[in-house]
Amino acid sequence: MAKKQNPDQRAKELHDLIGNKVAQNFVTIAVLNTESEMVLVGTNERKLRKEQVEALKEHEKEAQSKEEKHAEEKVIQKAQEMGLKGTEIGTSRPICLDCEDLIKAHDITSKTAFKGKKSKKRQ
Ligand SMILES: [Zn+2]
């Protein structure tokens, strides 16, 4: 059985793989551990970058969405679609207020700091 990593640490690891330093500043990576073996990984970009996809382990699955969403929303939505219960989420950046509400509504824990503010990028 694959040992589950601290999702916080894993999100930062995947974030650091981004080769483009400018891009690093606007990308957020979220990693959601679930009650199953499966770990979901999401980005606020349209999809994970090639260097990140290549680094995914067997039990890690990308959570994609057709709509523009925060990384946290994508992994939680994907878990629901797959009928998985999320247990702990970690992100590579502090979590905005909307995502904090969503995480708490799903009874998911997090060691990542909450911003306590709404994202500036949306109304
Ligand atoms: Zn958010």
Side-chain angles (χ1 to χ4, degrees), residues 2 75 96 107 121:
V75 290
C96 79
D107 211 13
K121 281 193 211 146

Side-chain angles (χ1 to χ4, degrees), residues 24-40:
Q24 278 201 7
N25 291 326
F26 57 76
V27 173
T28 304
I29 300 300
V31 172
L32 179 67
N33 284 358
T34 69
E35 279 178 347
S36 79
E37 276 262 284
M38 192 65 72
V39 172
L40 299 170

